[in-house]
Amino acid sequence: MKTKSKLFVGLGLLFGMITLLTFLSTFFINKLSEESKNILIANYNSIDYCREMINALNDGNNAIVNEENFNTYLSLQLKNITEPVEATLTQQLSQNFQSYKTDTSAIATLHRNITDIMLVNMQAIVAKDSIAQKTALKAVLWIGFTGTICFLFALLVLFNLPGNIANPIKELTQSIKQIASGNYKQRIHFDKQNEFGDLSIAFNSMAEKLEEYRAGSLEKLMMEKKRIDTLINNMHDPVIGIDETEKIIFMNDIALKITGLRAENVLGKLVQKVSANNDLLRRLTEELVVVTPANAGPLNTAMKIYADDKESYFEQEIVPIKIIPTGEEVEKLIGTVILLRNVTTYKELDFAKTNFIATVSHELKTPIASIKMSLQLLENEKLGVLNAEQQSLVESVKEDSNRLLKITSELLNMTQLETGTIQMNVMPCDAKEIVEYAVSTNRAAADQKNISVKIKYPEEIPTVLADNEKTSWVLTNLLSNAIRYSYENSTVVIELTTADGMERFAVIDGGQGISPQYLDKIFDRYYRIPGSKKEGTGLGLSISKEFIEGQGGFLTVESDFGKGSTFSFTLKQL
Ligand code: ADP
């Protein structure tokens, strides 16, 4: 039975019983009232008339009747005959009253007649009272009976109806909670005939679909995981995944191979524990302790790792994995991936290139030196005086051979830096000696552009801790740049200042300056500012920087674009 029908029937019956109870009560009350009214009108009035008639009889002195009163009440009594015998008795009384007018001795008869009428009415009252009593008893029985049935029914409704509605709702709430907590196997079974039955069918079908969906998505997820696992495993570069609690979550085959580890010994283990017994993993993960923007991303230097039965080079990149969790706004670190890129081929090519450059520049040095020597001999007047044209040709060859010497020297320095074969020979050096070497080397170039080189020493000429040859090379290079990138007839200043135990060598020019966007790039190897018309290799500043930093100093630049630049480096004072 539908809940709606149950409610309708239950409440409807209750309503009907209350109505029946009300009807019965009204009916019996009315009946009792009618009966008592009957007694009052029919019998009580007659007794009252009789009493008045007796009073009228006794009104006169010694049985002289108050006729008028007697007549009045006799007339009323004649109209109020209700009992079967009462009519005859009242007729007799009326006749006797007529005869009394001629025979006054009939008064006793009148008395008797009236008393008889009173008696009849009193008996009727007793009889009717007994009827009323019976009616009252009937009323009590009926109302009691109906009331009891109503009470029992109400009790039944009270105990059944709330439970009938609330229990399924409670069960439904529990089941929804189960579903919400992920138990998609939850089902509910209600009586199939009512609305809750329909609800249980709908709920069960929803749970079934959710279960199917979860199974489907799980399968999909597993599929995706397998796809990613296969992808990572098929990568030729080693990949290591670490979660936010620093446990290793994946390591592809090549990563396992180069580290010599086995998957079952690393997966799910703390990276610190595993790397305690594995030097390579320790090297790879030592940057991981805290992933900061500084150590995230590719590391500049390639790592030499013994893999594939040979020495290989890998570039390491640390990629922090960040997500914004559903419903949140702040990014959260959920792990780190270490990528190793095999750069052995490039490294081998790079070595070949460096070796080639080193050999070529070394081999070029001897012929250039011999050209320079030949030029010096040519200029020697003992061997003959050159005419103006020949002199100009010699000057031009001298310039070219100087440029060639500069290039070979830069290339040689660069190859030595790349192969790590460069040696810093730091010792106390006279700062003035370094400055004078740089000025004398650049004298011809400065004269050519009519540039005057001014030197500003501090009061006391300092002694610095430096590699004389390399520092001279750096200052020569900076001065050469200042002259090359300055306008004709200008001035270049070399200024030495002392502060905090450091000597600062600054080369200040009033040339074209450097646009701010290129300031941090000019120290990169082979970098030349786009559109630079002067000849050059783009190696000078990068070599200079490494030379100075190799001695524990710093090389910096300040430039006002269009107004000039200041290149300066610091060295420790003795
Ligand atoms: P290059 O052989 O090209 O001079 P460098 O490494 O010495 O190589 O310099 C790199 C670039 O920096 C140059 O190409 C030039 O554009 C710029 N540069 C260097 N020194 C100066 C300077 N004093 N004034 C303006 N630009 C300069």
Side-chain angles (χ1 to χ4, degrees), residues 481-482 484-485 509 514 522 527-529 536-538 540-541 565 567:
N481 279 353
R484 278 196 297 145
Y485 298 108
D509 68 62
I514 300 162
I522 54 172
Y527 186 82
R528 307 200 68 232
I529 291 177
T537 56
L541 286 179
S565 318
F567 283 86

Side-chain angles (χ1 to χ4, degrees), residues 392-431:
S392 143
L393 276 172
V394 166
E395 283 304 321
S396 163
V397 176
K398 217 178 183 180
E399 232 172 72
D400 286 341
S401 54
N402 276 341
R403 200 175 304 138
L404 220 58
L405 197 66
K406 185 175 181 275
I407 291 171
T408 46
S409 131
E410 279 179 356
L411 287 173
L412 254 182
N413 282 334
M414 189 270 292
T415 56
Q416 282 173 349
L417 281 171
E418 276 193 357
T419 52
T421 50
I422 204 132
Q423 290 282 326
M424 287 293 165
N425 196 11
V426 179
M427 56 173 68
C429 306
D430 185 7

Side-chain angles (χ1 to χ4, degrees), residues 238-251:
V239 186
I240 302 169
I242 292 160
D243 72 6
E244 71 278 23
T245 59
E246 298 198 344
K247 281 190 183 135
I248 301 174
I249 43 177
F250 61 81
M251 228 169 146

Side-chain angles (χ1 to χ4, degrees), residues 50 53-54 56-58 63-67 70-71 74 89-118:
C50 289
M53 280 189 282
I54 287 170
L57 280 180
N58 293 334
I64 293 170
V65 177
N66 185 340
E67 268 189 43
F70 194 92
N71 219 0
L74 183 61
L89 287 172
T90 309
Q91 280 306 321
Q92 275 180 9
L93 179 68
S94 178
Q95 281 167 10
N96 288 337
F97 181 62
Q98 293 306 323
S99 48
Y100 153 79
K101 285 177 184 171
T102 49
D103 181 7
T104 48
S105 62
I107 201 159
T109 320
L110 286 177
H111 258 291
R112 210 170 41 247
N113 287 151
I114 293 167
T115 319
D116 285 348
I117 294 169
M118 281 176 82

Side-chain angles (χ1 to χ4, degrees), residues 406-407 410 473 477-486 507-515 518 521-544 557 559 564-567:
K406 185 175 181 275
I407 291 171
E410 279 179 356
W473 190 94
N477 184 59
L478 294 183
L479 187 58
S480 154
N481 279 353
I483 294 166
R484 278 196 297 145
Y485 298 108
S486 281
V507 180
I508 308 155
D509 68 62
Q512 60 200 52
I514 300 162
S515 168
Y518 303 123
K521 293 203 178 100
I522 54 172
F523 295 102
D524 292 348
R525 217 165 271 182
Y526 301 111
Y527 186 82
R528 307 200 68 232
I529 291 177
S532 181
K533 288 195 181 76
K534 308 279 179 216
E535 288 165 354
T537 56
L539 282 171
L541 286 179
S542 76
I543 295 169
S544 303
V557 62
S559 186
S565 318
T566 302
F567 283 86

Side-chain angles (χ1 to χ4, degrees), residues 449-517:
K449 288 177 84 174
N450 198 21
I451 290 173
S452 72
V453 179
K454 277 195 179 154
I455 306 163
K456 292 185 184 170
Y457 290 114
E459 276 177 21
E460 203 180 317
I461 304 289
T463 305
V464 287
L465 277 175
D467 181 318
N468 198 327
E469 194 192 325
K470 300 202 174 51
T471 311
S472 303
W473 190 94
V474 172
L475 194 63
T476 309
N477 184 59
L478 294 183
L479 187 58
S480 154
N481 279 353
I483 294 166
R484 278 196 297 145
Y485 298 108
S486 281
Y487 306 110
E488 286 185 4
N489 308 316
S490 58
T491 307
V492 171
V493 181
I494 298 177
E495 187 180 49
L496 271 68
T497 44
T498 314
D500 303 329
M502 301 291 277
E503 194 60 32
R504 178 175 179 263
F505 293 71
V507 180
I508 308 155
D509 68 62
Q512 60 200 52
I514 300 162
S515 168
Q517 75 208 73

